[in-house]
Amino acid sequence: MDLLPTPATKAGRDGLQALLAKPRSAVIGLDFDGTLSPIVEDPEQARAHPDAVPALATLAPKVASVAVITGRPAEVAVRHGGFAGTSGLEHLVVLGHYGAERWDAATNTVTAPPPHPGVAAVRAELPGLLDRVGTGHGTWIEEKGRAVAVHTRRADDPQAAFEALRAPLADLATRHGLIVEPGRLVLELRPPGMDKGVALLDHVRATGAGSVLYAGDDLGDLPAYAAVDKLRSDGVPGLLVCSGSTEVTELAERADVVVDGPEGVVALLRALAARMP
């Protein structure tokens, strides 16, 4: 049987106790890439850990809601996660593009506002910018529908390419009314106003949750961590989980519980389900 880790902080221990005491009022929030799915060189090849969906299907019926919160388009996360049509996940939601899109398992539909016009403008200029900066070799552009991302993981010097692109991409984003979200050797240009913290807060408040868990692995998950801190200050206990890696350490420094990547996240989900009636 998977063992539940002991949170390193009192706030985390209180959050875990609340989750186990009243699971039917708990929201489980989860990032996708790096948390439910291992990081791979080509995001199109990313798939949920093979034990993730079975673990979620066991846990989800015991809690108020499970929400996968991701920067990916919602339908892509659903497809790569294997969430659609799975028994036990009828009330799962996927909040894609940082909450701008919502997929509901109950209806198998995505709802979303019109796309920001700045994304198309940035998309057209990006190839020329990469050539001018001199980081074109090994870097590549990921089309994300409502956002666009530049990956440097395949470059000869991934970190150097990442740093060389930060300022030019920030300038490009600003000119078109977008922002840049840095991640693990990726820079994403997307509309402002939504992040994982906003998405998590809105979802927790909409469900009237009495406790919350959030698990993530990357810099884009820090707003969700801040949201849990805000909820704690408002009297809603919370547990912060880091899907640990050597590439990003900021989350591990703030987390109540650090687990060993997606495999550790899956083990935690199974352990929670086993302790809940």
Side-chain angles (χ1 to χ4, degrees):
M1 178 181 291
D2 298 297
L3 298 177
L4 271 177
T6 300
T9 67
K10 182 180 184 304
R13 293 189 290 274
D14 291 344
L16 178 59
Q17 182 179 9
L19 287 164
L20 296 176
K22 294 183 177 180
R24 301 284 178 184
S25 67
V27 164
I28 307 297
L30 303 159
D31 169 48
F32 185 75
D33 291 281
T35 301
L36 290 177
S37 166
I39 294 292
V40 294
E41 286 195 1
D42 180 0
E44 282 302 306
Q45 301 305 312
R47 297 295 183 271
H49 186 284
D51 295 327
V53 168
L56 288 171
T58 302
L59 176 64
K62 300 183 176 187
V63 299
S65 176
V66 173
V68 176
I69 306 175
T70 175
R72 286 180 179 268
E75 63 179 1
V76 172
V78 171
R79 185 170 67 251
H80 289 195
F83 302 134
T86 299
S87 178
L89 296 184
E90 291 82 2
H91 301 295
L92 178 82
V93 299
V94 175
L95 305 177
H97 283 304
Y98 304 92
E101 294 183 346
R102 177 186 174 112
W103 174 84
D104 286 270
T107 60
N108 194 29
T109 57
V110 175
T111 55
H116 190 292
V119 175
V122 160
R123 185 181 297 118
E125 292 187 36
L126 264 178
L129 183 148
L130 296 181
D131 287 342
R132 290 194 302 274
V133 176
T135 57
H137 178 68
T139 61
W140 62 282
I141 299 167
E142 180 188 4
E143 172 54 55
K144 303 183 75 172
R146 296 173 182 272
V148 61
V150 178
H151 292 260
T152 67
R153 189 174 295 276
R154 300 176 189 167
D156 294 336
D157 188 335
Q159 191 62 42
F162 179 89
E163 296 300 335
L165 284 169
R166 291 188 73 142
L169 289 182
D171 291 342
L172 176 63
T174 299
R175 285 196 286 109
H176 294 290
L178 306 181
I179 61 171
V180 174
E181 180 76 46
R184 292 167 67 175
L185 299 176
V186 60
L187 294 154
E188 181 175 313
L189 293 81
R190 62 179 177 84
M194 287 301 297
D195 59 36
K196 292 182 182 180
V198 174
L200 181 62
L201 275 176
D202 287 349
H203 188 66
V204 167
R205 288 168 175 165
T207 58
S211 61
V212 59
L213 176 152
Y214 184 80
D217 75 304
D218 206 349
L219 298 175
D221 296 302
L222 288 173
Y225 270 38
V228 173
D229 287 338
K230 165 66 175 165
L231 288 164
R232 284 169 167 173
S233 70
D234 292 340
V236 179
L239 180 66
L240 293 171
V241 177
C242 173
S243 175
S245 77
T246 58
E247 292 182 339
V248 174
T249 59
E250 286 90 338
L251 269 72
E253 293 165 359
R254 291 184 55 182
D256 304 308
V257 170
V258 179
V259 298
D260 187 14
E263 185 172 350
V265 172
V266 168
L268 175 62
L269 297 176
R270 285 195 302 245
L272 284 170
R275 291 283 299 276
M276 291 176 176

